[in-house]
């Protein structure tokens, strides 16, 4: 259908549109008009992706001055879904407007997902594929191969290079799979082709990291123009992604590995000195001129870029004491030695970057400015020494990463050294963490650089906290409700067991046998009432282990297994995938199954339990973070001092958003239905409950608060029966849930509607 | 405890009502009962025609325990139903109180087999919507419904009494040998073939072997001929080829311009309302033969007669 929003023609590929999608478009358009950032919350299952794509591509068509759409997703799977939607949209637009609407849209991922070289693509990890690729495509390897035909190169890359600037993708929508197919057909390397084509594309879909992680964004996203529209989808955890992008962990193994790396580097330097001293001298001269002139290294070799964000570092010359290769190696050796010394501690320590710098200066004579350049200096050295198996040098890279971050930022970071893991206090496992405390640091360049940044997700509540955490000023903040033809959501807050004893995972209550039994009875009663799939979320792995053990001893687990099969998420990804697979099969064949999983785990974040795979989700307890964790304490302190966010506010916000994220897994579309049980007495308190997203809160009726198990059971039975009845999908006239083109035109005339 | 006095009692009552209603409406059809309990499907009664016999056995076997297995139930019913000749409907109705199925193998395989054998499976759920039941109904073209309460359950079960309309093209014409026995005169004494007793009066005589049977419809116990009476046949027949629903004809002038409106009802020759005439009421048209009928005739044709007089009188021999 085709309709107008404030003078802009929107092409929407479906016959009908939900009212909330229309409102979403209106708000989004206003944000784009204002050339500002916006924060939009809309429940899952309302077609957020197609709404975004439809509005933004229509906007691009109408105003050619707008740049690319950069769509960031969290997983490859989501990326493919977005591109599929875009393909539908594109086909529709082409039908409506003709060939002029042709756009180029492509997904970009790591070499691991795009490589088509028969041998390299078979490698297991991302790093080994990257290294395998470099071994075949680095400029010096290719230069050597011209003289010596025995040296292997990648035929796809060679073909691509031969074509040069003529290697182009015809317009269209390309998923990763399409890119690989196209690459095979033409004999071109899809990875480099995709990277090359980004600058011509209208829509680019890639991972968060490509924008947020400065190590990657420098190479991939440098070319993007200012007028681009950036979308972060499923962005409820964006602050954590930002923080992870700038945090570094250093263990004993890292330092040992770094020492080995240094020895190897030194050997290579010696060899070069004997054979090709010129190269080292050239590098020295280049460094004197400053890093900005690095451009004279060929483009395909610029594989890593600068994690330090300030531009001035690029213009400054590298300090004299690390310009010579052997000096730099000696410098790093001192740094590694110092860090090794710091790890030899038997009590946990925490300090800020300033005091660490001070201590570095006094004990080993390293100053801040030199540290800042570590990362670039190392990369320059690795290029000069023509090192291809870069996956072996990860350790020293981590150390340099650390050094540069410490040298660059004096605020927003903290260094925490822990001599052992909290869970196993007698096994020494020292860990030095450089932990970023301020999520706004990583995302700041994105906000500054691009005209419009859209942050959207199904759960962004409380929505006013995000601008404070990310330190930006959105022009539009809006949360949309879901219009439903029937009450297909049934959230309940369960505070008591059948025996009226309160239940909670509060620390002093969680091991109480009464609480454990009541939780067990709850599960048991529910699996006997709810058909097909039931998902349970626990607050942590250790808590889940404990309570499942207890249930086993009490015989509750055996009774549960009479009704449904039990599957458990573990920290092992393969095991969990297998468990999920079998869980799905058990649901499909009607046997019924329960999945035990952990909030903040892999399952809670990325796996959907829609339709019969999840008719009920039980959230056992409030998933607070481990409040004794030193990193968390440091972050809370920082938030209080810098952004005036109270500790308890942040903790509750974080816990409730995790809980909402978990329970939101069951509803993926409007035709679906599911129940959500929040089983903890603390959910009944207003300060917790009110932080749930609006679309859950609006269905949480007074009558469903403060329930005991038997009451919940009764509600569940009623709900399941009601939901099994046939219903009218379009909704009655009084409660419009689907709008046709005619409806919209009518609304437009009687504007303003919203 | 959701249904009172217990689910079992409520369901049993519904099934009993269903059996009676079923034979009332489909006197020629057969029905058998299978129970699923303890993971096993067992045959309670064979496919046969006597409602009383079914109900008696059902009443004597009321209990429930253990897991339910849809696969076993489907396999067992398939083994019975595949003997039914192709002109008959093969239907399975499952009244399902469990929330899952515990199967020895792949239940989806059984669902596929049912589909291949053209067995239509319908499920009436007692507790909640179950995915596998929904899938089963979708695949085999049945109806899935879930009961809200006792009354609703009965309603849903009884909905299944009327067989689905057969597609006239799909039905393969084949001849079935049937006998229409004469009812014996009152007061005659004869040995009945079904009970092997002397009965006075009533009863029917098989037209082929002259044996005596007590009830219709049945199969002759001596020569195996299917014995029916003609009202039975008519009642069974109408479900298979239902009379199309008549449409109301608007009385305004526009319509009458295209086609001359008949003055009287084709069925009863009473006057029909016309634009401007004094006769009140509605005017209905049969979409197949375009004859016009009054409201009373419409009710009579659809609920009792099951034949449209218009279509019958203009029936052209098929070529």
């Amino acid at each position: 259908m085709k309709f107008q929003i404030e003078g802009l023609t929107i092409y929407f590929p479906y016959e009908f549109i939900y009212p909330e999608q229309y409102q979403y478009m209106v708000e989004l358009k206003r944000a784009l008009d204002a050339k500002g950032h916006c924060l939009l919350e809309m429940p899952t299952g309302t077609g957020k992706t197609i709404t975004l794509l439809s509005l933004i591509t229509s906007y691009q068509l109408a105003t050619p001055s707008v740049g690319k759409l950069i769509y960031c997703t969290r997983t490859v799977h989501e990326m493919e879904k977005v591109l599929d939607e875009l393909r539908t949209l594109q086909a529709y637009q082409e039908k409506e407007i003709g060939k002029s609407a042709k756009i180029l849209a492509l997904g970009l991922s790591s070499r691991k997902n795009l490589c088509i070289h028969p041998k390299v693509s078979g490698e297991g990890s991302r790093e080994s594929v990257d290294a395998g690729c470099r071994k075949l495509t680095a400029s010096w390897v290719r230069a050597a191969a011209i003289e010596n035909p025995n040296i292997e190169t990648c035929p796809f890359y060679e073909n691509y290079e031969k074509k040069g600037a003529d290697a182009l993708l015809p317009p269209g929508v390309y998923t990763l799979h399409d890119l690989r197919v196209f690459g095979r057909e033409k004999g071109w390397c899809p990875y480099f082709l995709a990277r090359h084509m980004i600058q011509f594309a209208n829509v680019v879909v890639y991972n968060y990291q490509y924008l947020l992680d400065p190590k990657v964004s420098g190479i991939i996203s440098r070319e993007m123009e200012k007028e681009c529209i950036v979308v972060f989808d499923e962005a409820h955890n964006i602050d954590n992604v930002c923080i992870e992008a700038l945090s570094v962990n250093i263990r004993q193994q890292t330092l040992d590995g770094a020492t080995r790396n240094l020895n190897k580097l030194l050997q290579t330097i010696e060899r070069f000195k004997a054979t090709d001293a010129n190269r080292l001298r050239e590098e020295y001269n280049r460094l004197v001129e400053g890093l900005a002139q690095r451009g004279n290294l060929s483009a395909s070799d610029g594989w890593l870029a600068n994690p330090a964000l300030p531009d001035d570092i690029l213009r400054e010359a590298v300090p004299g004491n690390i310009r010579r290769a052997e000096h730099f190696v000696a410098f790093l050796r001192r740094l590694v030695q110092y860090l090794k010394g710091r790890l030899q501690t038997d009590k946990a320590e925490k300090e800020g970057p300033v005091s660490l710098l001070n201590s570095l200066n006094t004990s080993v004579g390293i100053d801040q400015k030199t540290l800042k350049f570590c990362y670039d200096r190392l990369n320059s050295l690795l290029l000069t020494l023509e090192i291809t198996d870069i996956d072996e040098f990860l350790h020293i890279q981590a150390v340099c990463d650390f050094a540069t971050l410490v040298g660059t930022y004096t605020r927003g970071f903290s260094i925490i050294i822990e001599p052992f893991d909290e869970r196993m206090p007698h096994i020494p496992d020292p860990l030095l963490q450089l932990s970023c405390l301020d999520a706004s640091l990583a995302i700041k360049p994105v906000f500054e650089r691009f005209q419009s940044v859209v942050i959207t997700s199904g759960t962004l509540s409380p929505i006013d906290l995000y601008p404070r955490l990310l330190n930006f000023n959105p022009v539009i903040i809006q949360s949309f409700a879901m219009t439903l033809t029937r009450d297909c959501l049934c959230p309940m807050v369960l505070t008591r067991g059948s025996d009226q004893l309160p239940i909670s995972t509060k620390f002093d209550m969680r091991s109480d046998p009464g609480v454990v039994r009541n939780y067990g009875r709850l599960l048991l009663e529910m699996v006997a009432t709810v058909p097909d799939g039931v998902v349970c979320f626990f607050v942590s792995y250790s808590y889940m282990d404990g309570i499942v053990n207890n249930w086993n001893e009490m015989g509750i687990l055996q009774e549960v297994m009479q009704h449904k099969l039990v599957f458990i998420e573990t920290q092992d990804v393969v095991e969990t995938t297998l468990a999920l697979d079998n869980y799905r099969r058990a649901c499909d064949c009607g046997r019924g199954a329960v999945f035990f999983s952990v909030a903040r785990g892999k399952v809670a974040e990325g796996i959907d339990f829609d339709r019969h795979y999840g008719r009920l989700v039980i959230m056992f307890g409030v998933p607070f973070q481990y409040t004794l964790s030193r990193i968390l304490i440091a972050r809370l302190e920082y938030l209080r001092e810098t952004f005036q966010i109270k500790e308890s506010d942040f903790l509750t916000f974080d816990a409730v958003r995790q809980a909402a994220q978990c329970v939101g897994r069951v509803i993926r579309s409007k035709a679906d239905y599911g129940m959500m049980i929040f089983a903890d007495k603390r959910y009944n308190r207003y300060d917790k409950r009110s932080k749930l997203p609006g679309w859950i809160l609006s269905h949480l009726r007074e009558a469903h608060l403060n329930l005991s198990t038997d009451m919940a059971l009764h509600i569940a039975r009623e709900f399941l029966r009601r939901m099994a009845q046939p219903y009218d999908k379009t909704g009655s006239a009084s409660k419009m849930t689907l709008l046709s083109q005619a409806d919209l035109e009518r609304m437009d005339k009687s504007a303003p509607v919203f | 405890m959701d249904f009172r006095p217990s689910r079992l009692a409520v369901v049993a009552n519904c099934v009993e009502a269903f059996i009676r209603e079923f034979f009332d409406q489909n006197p020629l059809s057969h029905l058998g009962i299978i129970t699923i309990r303890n993971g096993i499907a067992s045959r309670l009664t064979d496919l046969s025609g006597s409602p009383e016999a079914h109900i008696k056995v059902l009443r004597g076997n009321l209990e429930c325990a253990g897991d339910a297995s849809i696969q076993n139930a489907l396999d067992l019913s398939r083994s019975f139903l595949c003997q039914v000749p192709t002109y008959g409907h093969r239907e399975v109705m499952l009244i399902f109180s469990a929330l899952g199925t515990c199967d020895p193998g792949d239940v989806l395989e059984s669902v596929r087999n049912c589909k291949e054998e053209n067995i239509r499976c319908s499920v009436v759920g007692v507790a909640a919507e179950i995915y596998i039941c929904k899938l089963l109904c979708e695949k085999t073209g049945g109806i899935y419904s879930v009961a809200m309460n006792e009354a609703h359950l009965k309603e849903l079960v009884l909905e299944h009494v009327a067989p689905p309309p057969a597609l006239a093209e799909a039905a393969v014409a084949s001849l079935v040998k049937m006998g229409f026995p004469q009812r014996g005169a009152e007061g005659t004494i004869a040995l009945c073939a079904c009970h092997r007793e002397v009965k006075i009066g009533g009863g029917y005589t098989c037209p082929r072997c002259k044996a005596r049977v007590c009830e219709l419809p049945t199969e002759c116990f001596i020569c195996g001929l299917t014995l029916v009476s003609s009202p039975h046949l008519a009642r069974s027949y109408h479900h298979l080829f239902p009379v199309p629903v008549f449409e109301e004809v608007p009385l305004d002038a526009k319509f009458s311009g295209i086609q001359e409106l008949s003055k009287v009802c084709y069925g009863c020759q009473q006057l029909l309302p016309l634009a401007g005439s004094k006769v009140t009421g509605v005017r209905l048209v049969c979409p197949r033969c375009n004859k016009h009928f009054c409201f009373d005739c419409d009710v009579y044709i659809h609920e009792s007669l099951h034949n449209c007089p218009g279509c019958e009188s203009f029936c052209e021999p098929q070529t």
Side-chain angles (χ1 to χ4, degrees):
Chain A
M1 61 198 272
K2 200 164 92 175
F3 55 93
Q4 301 270 328
I5 292 180
E6 295 170 1
L8 175 71
T9 313
I10 310 283
Y11 298 92
F12 191 73
Y14 301 109
E15 280 295 295
F16 293 97
I17 185 169
Y18 297 139
E20 60 268 33
Q21 288 182 314
Y22 183 77
Q23 291 176 38
Y24 190 96
M25 285 185 181
V26 172
E27 295 296 340
L28 187 57
K29 167 164 188 302
R30 287 180 188 158
L32 296 184
D33 281 342
K35 300 193 192 315
H37 312 313
C38 65
L39 199 58
L40 299 169
E41 178 186 53
M42 184 156 89
T44 45
T46 48
K48 219 170 19 229
T49 309
I50 190 68
T51 314
L52 271 166
L53 291 174
S54 167
L55 184 99
I56 296 177
T57 48
S58 302
Y59 199 87
Q60 282 178 327
L61 280 172
T63 36
S65 63
V66 172
K68 301 181 201 345
L69 163 62
I70 305 176
Y71 198 106
C72 302
T73 63
R74 284 180 313 172
T75 57
V76 173
H77 178 67
E78 277 170 20
M79 189 189 292
E80 302 265 335
K81 268 201 299 204
V82 171
L83 286 164
D84 273 343
E85 293 259 26
L86 190 61
R87 201 196 302 270
T88 321
L89 176 66
Q90 176 58 28
Y92 175 76
Q93 284 182 344
E94 229 179 285
K95 206 179 80 199
E96 285 289 316
I97 318 175
K99 292 281 174 213
S100 62
K102 264 261 189 247
I103 56 167
L104 175 64
L106 53 91
L108 181 66
S109 184
S110 62
R111 288 180 175 85
K112 174 157 175 23
N113 293 321
L114 279 175
C115 184
I116 50 171
H117 190 275
K119 220 158 55 213
V120 177
S121 59
E123 297 271 354
S125 73
R126 194 163 57 100
E127 284 81 12
S128 50
V129 175
D130 285 1
C133 180
R134 267 173 214 126
K135 262 177 219 157
L136 301 178
T137 60
S139 58
W140 55 87
V141 175
R142 294 178 55 229
I146 293 170
E147 285 153 25
N148 180 1
N150 289 334
I151 294 176
E152 201 185 352
T153 56
C154 172
F156 299 104
Y157 184 75
E158 292 300 321
N159 279 340
Y160 164 74
E161 273 291 296
K162 242 178 261 161
K163 279 279 167 192
D166 295 338
L168 291 177
L169 270 176
V173 179
Y174 296 88
T175 60
L176 299 184
H177 176 75
D178 298 336
L179 281 172
R180 282 197 302 268
V181 170
F182 183 81
R184 270 203 200 99
E185 206 175 279
K186 295 269 181 183
W188 296 343
C189 172
Y191 174 77
F192 284 99
L193 180 65
R195 263 180 58 179
H196 175 63
M197 288 312 291
I198 278 184
Q199 43 182 317
F200 306 109
N202 305 73
V203 181
V204 182
V205 184
Y206 55 39
N207 198 288
Y208 277 24
Q209 258 70 30
Y210 286 124
L211 267 189
L212 292 180
D213 193 338
K215 293 189 276 295
V216 198
S217 73
I219 18 167
I220 303 288
S221 311
R222 193 168 38 191
E223 316 260 294
M224 303 290 187
E225 61 267 41
K226 185 183 181 323
E227 288 77 21
C228 288
I229 301 167
V230 179
V231 174
F232 288 102
D233 196 5
E234 299 291 331
H236 44 272
N237 275 342
I238 192 165
D239 54 328
N240 293 341
V241 178
C242 292
I243 282 175
E244 267 164 40
L246 286 185
S247 295
V248 185
N249 283 1
I250 292 179
R251 289 174 185 282
Q252 192 68 48
Q253 297 95 297
T254 322
L255 293 178
D256 292 343
T259 316
R260 276 199 307 278
N261 291 160
L262 286 176
N263 289 338
K264 194 158 177 206
L265 278 180
L266 206 57
Q267 280 168 18
T268 326
I269 291 170
E270 292 301 325
R271 205 183 64 223
F272 263 90
K273 259 193 187 157
T275 56
D276 193 6
N278 239 351
R279 260 194 95 81
L280 289 171
R281 201 164 308 123
E282 269 170 30
E283 187 200 20
Y284 182 90
N285 293 336
R286 214 164 45 229
L287 293 174
V288 176
E289 284 162 21
L291 285 165
Q293 269 75 44
R294 275 183 317 165
N296 51 8
L297 285 169
S298 62
S300 72
D301 295 335
W303 18 268
L304 290 168
N306 191 351
L309 302 164
D311 283 338
D312 53 327
I313 195 165
L314 290 175
R315 281 177 231 118
E316 273 178 73
V318 174
N321 55 353
I322 55 170
R323 273 185 216 156
R324 287 183 71 97
E326 53 271 53
H327 290 177
F328 180 57
V329 171
F331 167 86
L332 283 181
R333 213 181 270 283
R334 286 210 303 282
L335 180 65
V336 169
Q337 206 55 48
Y338 170 79
L339 290 176
K340 272 188 183 163
R342 289 302 300 264
L343 277 183
Q344 305 291 333
T345 170
D346 46 5
K347 65 176 197 310
E349 291 171 36
K350 170 183 168 256
E351 61 183 326
V354 180
S355 74
L356 184 85
L357 283 176
N358 190 29
S359 134
L360 267 173
N361 207 354
T362 48
S363 52
V364 280
I366 290 177
D367 67 340
Q368 184 186 357
K369 189 164 177 222
T370 325
L371 278 176
K372 247 202 261 190
F373 285 90
C374 268
Y375 195 84
D376 274 307
R377 181 67 190 89
L378 177 72
N379 285 330
S380 164
L381 183 65
L382 289 180
L383 280 180
T384 314
L385 297 182
E386 301 185 345
I387 284 167
T388 48
D389 42 357
I390 159 129
D391 52 335
E392 281 176 26
F393 286 85
L394 286 178
H395 301 296
I396 190 71
Q397 271 174 2
V399 172
C400 286
D401 223 6
F402 171 84
T404 308
L405 285 171
V406 168
T408 314
Y409 294 102
T410 48
R411 280 183 58 76
F413 282 84
S414 98
I415 292 121
I416 293 163
I417 305 170
E418 284 173 311
F420 47 76
D421 197 323
E422 288 288 331
R423 277 164 297 184
M424 289 168 285
H426 21 265
I427 302 169
D429 178 24
L431 171 65
L432 185 145
Q433 306 171 71
L434 176 73
S435 152
C436 174
L437 305 175
D438 191 346
S440 65
L441 287 179
I443 203 166
K444 192 165 146 239
V446 180
F447 283 133
E448 279 176 357
R449 181 129 144 248
F450 297 109
Q451 171 172 308
S452 290
V453 178
V454 181
I455 294 184
T456 185
S457 172
T459 45
L460 282 177
S461 298
I463 203 159
D464 50 336
L465 199 57
Y466 281 87
R468 281 160 81 192
L469 278 178
L470 300 178
N471 199 16
F472 75 112
N473 282 323
V475 288
I476 289 192
I477 301 186
Q478 191 77 43
S479 177
F480 300 94
M482 176 151 50
T483 51
L484 294 169
T485 40
R486 51 174 190 172
D487 275 338
C488 64
L489 275 181
C490 182
M492 294 182 247
V493 172
L494 191 108
T495 55
R496 293 161 287 150
S498 294
D499 53 4
Q500 306 303 320
L501 284 177
I503 48 173
S504 175
T505 53
K506 243 163 102 171
F507 197 70
D508 48 350
M509 280 176 76
R510 60 167 59 172
S511 46
D512 183 343
V515 173
V516 172
R517 196 185 55 243
N518 266 330
Y519 272 143
R521 301 298 312 174
L522 166 67
L523 178 64
L524 185 55
E525 303 268 8
M526 282 299 162
V527 292
T529 312
V530 179
D532 300 327
V534 173
V535 192
C536 301
F537 285 100
F538 296 87
V539 291
S540 67
Y541 281 109
S542 60
Y543 180 65
M544 179 168 80
D545 287 351
I547 198 162
V548 170
N549 259 334
N550 282 337
W551 285 346
N552 188 27
E553 280 159 23
M554 289 174 174
I556 288 175
L557 205 60
Q558 287 75 3
E559 279 181 67
V560 169
M561 284 201 274
Q562 299 239 303
H563 295 283
K564 291 194 192 302
L565 305 180
V566 176
F567 297 94
I568 298 189
E569 179 190 7
T570 59
Q571 269 145 320
D572 184 341
V573 180
V574 181
E575 223 169 51
T576 305
T577 316
L578 202 66
L580 265 173
D581 218 39
N582 285 321
Y583 169 80
R584 293 232 165 83
R585 272 178 49 203
C587 290
D588 279 337
C589 78
R591 178 67 180 88
V594 197
F595 198 85
F596 288 171
S597 151
V598 171
R600 295 168 200 285
K602 266 257 179 298
V603 172
E605 267 303 313
I607 312 290
D608 288 349
F609 292 100
D610 54 341
R611 297 176 297 129
H612 61 288
Y613 297 126
R615 285 297 180 213
L616 165 72
V617 49
I618 308 179
M619 180 75 233
F620 289 103
V622 187
F624 281 116
Q625 286 190 52
Y626 177 58
T627 42
L628 295 180
S629 139
R630 291 191 174 77
I631 297 180
L632 181 63
I633 293 172
R635 181 156 181 224
L636 288 175
E637 237 169 64
Y638 182 82
L639 285 176
R640 194 188 56 220
E641 283 166 9
T642 323
F643 299 121
Q644 287 78 47
I645 296 171
K646 272 199 288 185
E647 279 111 331
S648 61
D649 273 356
F650 179 78
L651 284 175
T652 316
F653 149 75
D654 187 63
V656 175
R657 94 172 144 180
Q658 290 303 336
Q661 189 56 32
C662 293
V663 299
R665 303 276 104 202
V666 287
I667 292 279
R668 283 344 241 180
S669 83
K670 289 194 178 186
D672 200 1
Y673 64 90
M675 292 184 288
M676 310 159 168
I677 295 185
F678 296 95
D680 194 306
K681 65 171 188 180
R682 288 173 290 178
Y683 283 113
N684 210 35
R685 297 211 340 232
Y686 181 75
D687 66 318
K688 304 267 187 318
R689 206 173 0 116
S690 62
K691 291 198 170 62
L692 285 170
W695 55 277
I696 295 184
L697 268 187
S698 61
H699 287 89
L700 187 58
R701 295 205 296 268
E702 282 295 317
H704 290 180
L705 295 174
N706 202 8
L707 298 176
S708 66
T709 305
D710 43 343
M711 291 154 83
L713 207 59
H714 184 72
I715 294 174
R717 282 211 185 101
E718 284 290 301
F719 176 78
L720 287 170
R721 288 222 166 89
R722 209 168 56 239
M723 284 303 123
Q725 305 309 316
Y727 72 104
D728 175 24
K729 284 195 175 69
T730 50
S732 50
S734 61
K735 211 175 154 191
M736 286 287 245
T737 53
L738 279 179
L739 302 173
S740 65
Q741 190 163 344
D743 290 331
L744 286 172
E745 276 158 16
R746 220 171 21 250
M747 272 163 60
D748 208 34
K749 281 191 195 114
S750 61
V753 180
F754 301 108
Chain B
M1 284 297 274
D2 37 8
F3 290 178
R4 297 191 189 271
S6 72
R7 272 191 192 174
L8 189 62
V10 172
V11 168
N13 282 338
C14 286
V15 173
E16 193 181 320
F18 174 78
I19 294 174
R20 285 185 198 287
E21 191 66 23
F22 181 80
F23 284 114
D24 189 50
Q25 298 244 346
N26 315 282
L28 291 185
S29 300
H30 284 186
L31 170 153
I33 304 176
I34 290 170
T35 54
I36 347 172
R37 60 170 87 100
N38 287 325
I40 306 168
S42 53
R43 180 205 50 158
L44 221 51
T45 56
D46 268 328
L47 282 175
S48 66
S50 158
E52 294 309 321
H54 287 304
I55 291 170
K56 202 174 146 214
V57 179
L58 178 73
R59 282 286 165 204
N61 262 293
L62 280 185
E63 57 177 285
C64 55
D67 295 320
S69 164
I70 291 184
Q71 191 191 9
N72 286 342
L74 286 182
D75 288 349
L76 187 62
S77 34
R78 197 157 47 87
S79 70
F80 285 116
L81 286 176
C82 59
Q83 300 157 8
V84 173
T86 48
Y87 57 82
H89 272 294
R90 301 164 174 189
E91 255 192 293
V92 174
M93 185 177 119
L94 197 60
I95 300 181
F96 203 63
S97 171
L99 285 174
T101 160
C102 196
D103 298 317
D106 185 7
V107 65
L108 300 173
E109 183 65 40
S110 299
V111 174
R112 268 195 294 280
N113 288 340
C114 280
K115 192 174 158 46
E116 267 167 33
E117 302 265 358
N118 284 325
I119 300 176
R120 182 178 187 260
C121 302
S122 297
V123 182
V124 176
V126 177
E129 183 184 279
I130 303 152
Y131 172 74
I132 188 73
C133 294
K134 204 171 173 184
L135 189 84
L136 172 68
C137 296
E138 252 170 40
K139 287 260 153 88
T140 60
I143 304 168
Y144 184 39
S145 46
V146 176
M148 295 284 285
N149 48 41
E150 291 92 329
H152 192 217
L153 176 68
K154 191 158 189 172
E155 198 180 300
L156 292 176
V157 171
L158 290 185
E159 258 174 30
H160 289 274
V161 167
L167 298 169
E169 308 88 58
V172 185
S174 61
L175 296 174
V176 184
K177 204 178 270 180
M178 279 187 182
F180 296 89
Q182 218 170 20
R183 188 172 164 84
E186 293 299 323
T188 48
I189 299 171
L191 204 61
C192 117
C194 35
H195 300 86
R196 314 223 171 110
E197 284 170 10
V198 176
K199 288 273 174 79
I200 305 175
Y204 302 86
T205 314
C206 169
R208 188 154 69 182
C209 63
K210 307 292 182 223
R212 190 71 173 279
V213 293
C214 295
E215 278 186 335
L216 288 184
T218 183
E219 272 177 19
C220 176
F221 288 80
I222 308 296
C223 64
L225 186 66
T226 311
L227 301 177
V228 293
S229 72
S230 76
H232 285 148
L233 206 56
R235 260 192 287 162
S236 301
Y237 184 72
H238 80 266
H239 295 302
L240 302 178
F241 306 104
V243 183
V245 179
F246 289 179
E247 289 154 9
E248 199 176 331
V249 182
L251 293 176
D252 54 359
K254 257 191 249 163
F255 188 84
S256 57
I258 305 163
Q259 191 187 343
E260 190 74 13
L261 288 183
S262 68
K263 286 198 179 69
V264 292
C265 163
Y266 191 79
C268 59
Q269 305 295 310
Q270 298 285 325
L271 284 177
L272 280 175
L274 271 170
S277 80
K278 283 180 200 124
V279 188
T280 54
V282 289
R283 173 189 280 267
L284 300 135
V285 63
C286 168
R288 217 179 318 167
C289 63
N290 284 326
K291 293 291 170 206
H292 290 214
F293 293 93
C294 66
F295 184 70
D296 290 336
C297 284
D298 174 50
V299 172
Y300 177 67
I301 288 167
H302 281 100
E303 290 187 1
S304 310
L305 196 62
H306 301 303
N307 269 326
C308 169
C311 301
E312 291 299 313
S313 49
F314 286 89
C315 185
E316 283 169 23
Q318 280 191 344
T319 49

